[in-house]
Amino acid sequence: MRLSLILLVVTLSCWRETQPAASPTVHQLDAPAHPASHHTVWEGKYVCAQGVTGLHLELDTATDGATTATFAFYGIPENPNSVPRGSYRLRGKVTMAKAGSFALALEPDEWIVQPPEYMMVGLSVTSDRERRSMAGRITNPSCGVVKVSRVN
């Protein structure tokens, strides 16, 4: 009887050791590395050395305020100079302000499409209370104001 009990314990121990480790679920493998983000799209204009330029700005803001953006620029009819199309990524932070507005500061990260002789610029803007428009400055000495309105 004692021998049977020992064999049973050894058999169960071996069986447990040979079982593969539990694999993570698909949910664990696909879990996002960052908190969920809020995507918004903005359109407007800014002024730099090339003159008034069209701007398409897409923001992805995480719940902690960390923000990534795509800054796409292009020529518009009111600029007599030819402005090529270009785009790049930025990184920064949104900070909530009084009465529902927010401040956004973005620094250049990497080019997507770089036209010859163009450089990336950052921006510093503040939204209105309804978060439908933003205004501020391009953070480069050869640039000036930026104004955009939310399109989604």
Side-chain angles (χ1 to χ4, degrees), residues 25-50:
T25 64
V26 172
H27 176 72
Q28 289 171 324
L29 293 174
D30 294 338
H34 302 288
S37 68
H38 181 68
H39 182 81
T40 56
V41 179
W42 306 77
E43 295 277 342
K45 303 173 190 176
Y46 69 100
V47 177
C48 270
Q50 72 274 10

Side-chain angles (χ1 to χ4, degrees), residues 63-115:
T63 55
D64 65 358
T67 303
T68 57
T70 301
F71 186 112
F73 57 91
Y74 48 89
I76 54 177
E78 66 191 83
N79 183 349
N81 300 321
S82 175
V83 176
R85 290 188 170 272
S87 59
Y88 55 93
R89 290 184 182 84
L90 304 102
R91 294 190 183 279
K93 187 150 181 93
V94 165
T95 306
M96 295 310 295
K98 293 181 180 180
S101 65
F102 63 84
L104 171 65
L106 295 171
E107 294 296 325
D109 188 28
E110 65 180 333
W111 279 102
I112 298 169
V113 176
Q114 181 181 13

